[in-house]
Amino acid sequence: MRGSEPDSRDPATRPTRIHVVSDVHGNTEALARAGDGADALICLGDLVLFLDYADHSRGIFPDLFGRENADRIVALRTARRYDEARAFGRELWAGRDRNTEILGAVRKQYAELFAAFPTPTYATYGNVDVPTLWPEYARPGTTVLDGERVEIGGRVFGFVGGGLKTPMNTPYEISDEEYAAKVEALGPVDVLCSHIPPEVPELTYDTVARRFERGSTALLEAIRITRPRYALFGHVHQPLVRRMRIGTTECVNVGHFASTGTPWALTW
C-alpha cells in the first residue's frame, strides 16, 4: 500500500486492515492518504464534485455558472422545488453544449482522483459518477466492481454501485429491478459494499437536508437472508444513525469523506 511503512510481522499472523471511503466528491488530497497503514482501500463511489451544498463556490456547477447561480439552484433543490430547479438549469444551459462541458470537467476530476488511488484499490460507482469514463482512468492496481465479488484477506466482498431513480436525476441512477439483479448476482458474501444504504429510515434520513434519500429494499432483503458480517455504504452525508445492527449484520455508513478526509477502518 503506497504510503505505508513496511510491516515485518509474519503476513500469515498479522491482522488484515482495510480502509473504506465513500462520497469523496473531489477531496483528492485526503484520498491520496486514505490507504496509509492499510492492506487495501475500498471506495464506494461519488468521486465527482458537481456542487458542494456546504460551500457553493466548489464544484463543476459554480465553475461554469458562478456562486450566485449555485446559491439559487441549491435553494430550489433544498426546498424540493425540483421542477423550478430544472427549468432554471435549462435557462443556464441554453446555447451551450451541456454534455461536452460537463464531461470535460468530469474528466479533469477523474484524472486527478484516480491518480490518487493507492494500490490496491477496489472501487464501485456512486450515483453522481459516470461509469463509461472509469475504464479510461482506472490504472493497474485499481479494480472496479459492480454486481461482482472479490476476496480480500480471506473474506468475500460483494460490490453494488450506483443509485436508484430520484427527481435529482443524477448520472448513474438505475431502476429498482436492475439494482436488485446486481444484488442477487452477488450471492452470500462476508462484506456487502454499496454506495446507497439499505432501505431503513434511520439510515436513509439526512438530518441536515431534512429529507429521506433512497435506500434499497433489495439490499435490506439480502442482509436479512444472507446475513453478511458487515454492510458498508455511504451516500447519506449526515444520517440519523451511522451504525446499526440488522440481525447479525453490522450496517455502517462509512462517512462523508469529502468533509472528514478520514477513512473507516475494518480489521480482522
Side-chain angles (χ1 to χ4, degrees):
M1 174 67 66
R2 189 176 68 204
S4 302
E5 292 296 323
D7 193 331
S8 60
R9 292 174 293 172
D10 182 354
T13 59
R14 69 178 177 84
T16 297
R17 182 180 178 91
I18 305 297
H19 287 177
V20 189
V21 301
S22 185
D23 300 88
V24 176
H25 294 303
N27 193 344
T28 308
E29 183 178 352
L31 185 63
R33 303 188 302 268
D36 290 357
D39 296 288
L41 176 71
I42 288 175
C43 179
L44 302 181
D46 271 11
L47 297 179
V48 172
L49 178 60
F50 189 75
L51 177 57
D52 189 333
Y53 277 57
D55 179 355
H56 304 169
S57 68
R58 298 181 63 244
I60 294 172
F61 188 94
D63 286 348
L64 293 173
F65 300 113
R67 170 67 182 263
E68 184 176 343
N69 287 324
D71 289 342
R72 181 176 175 187
I73 203 161
V74 168
L76 290 172
R77 289 177 175 177
T78 303
R80 300 180 179 84
R81 293 158 60 184
Y82 298 116
D83 289 340
E84 292 177 63
R86 281 191 287 269
F88 178 53
R90 286 193 295 270
E91 290 178 17
L92 294 176
W93 283 108
R96 303 178 68 157
D97 189 335
R98 175 176 179 145
N99 287 340
T100 298
E101 292 192 46
I102 289 181
L103 286 179
V106 170
R107 286 179 186 278
K108 181 180 179 181
Q109 290 190 13
Y110 277 165
E112 297 173 356
L113 289 158
F114 276 89
F117 275 144
T119 296
T121 290
Y122 302 89
T124 196
Y125 317 112
N127 61 292
V128 303
D129 286 311
V130 184
T132 55
L133 295 183
W134 281 36
E136 297 181 32
Y137 298 98
R139 305 174 304 164
T142 296
T143 303
V144 179
L145 302 126
D146 187 16
E148 299 164 286
R149 301 150 52 106
V150 68
E151 184 177 317
I152 307 173
R155 289 189 176 180
V156 177
F157 288 69
F159 291 78
V160 186
L164 298 172
K165 297 287 187 181
T166 72
M168 301 291 284
N169 195 30
T170 51
Y172 191 41
E173 294 181 355
I174 60 178
S175 69
D176 289 54
E177 293 75 18
E178 185 179 354
Y179 194 92
K182 292 195 296 184
V183 175
E184 185 177 5
L186 295 178
V189 296
D190 295 307
V191 184
L192 178 58
C193 299
S194 58
H195 177 66
I196 64 174
E199 181 56 56
V200 178
E202 294 88 340
L203 299 175
T204 58
Y205 186 73
D206 190 305
T207 59
V208 174
R210 296 183 179 180
R211 66 168 182 257
F212 287 98
E213 302 289 351
R214 287 213 62 191
S216 168
T217 56
L219 286 173
L220 180 59
E221 183 178 3
I223 289 168
R224 288 172 170 164
I225 293 174
T226 66
R227 295 183 292 178
R229 295 170 185 255
Y230 290 91
L232 308 179
F233 47 87
H235 186 56
V236 182
H237 294 178
Q238 298 90 196
L240 189 64
V241 173
R242 293 195 175 276
R243 190 166 184 157
M244 68 181 295
R245 186 171 290 275
I246 299 176
T248 59
T249 300
E250 192 72 18
C251 299
V252 182
N253 183 318
V254 300
H256 181 212
F257 187 75
S259 295
T260 68
T262 303
W264 185 80
L266 175 63
T267 60
W268 67 91

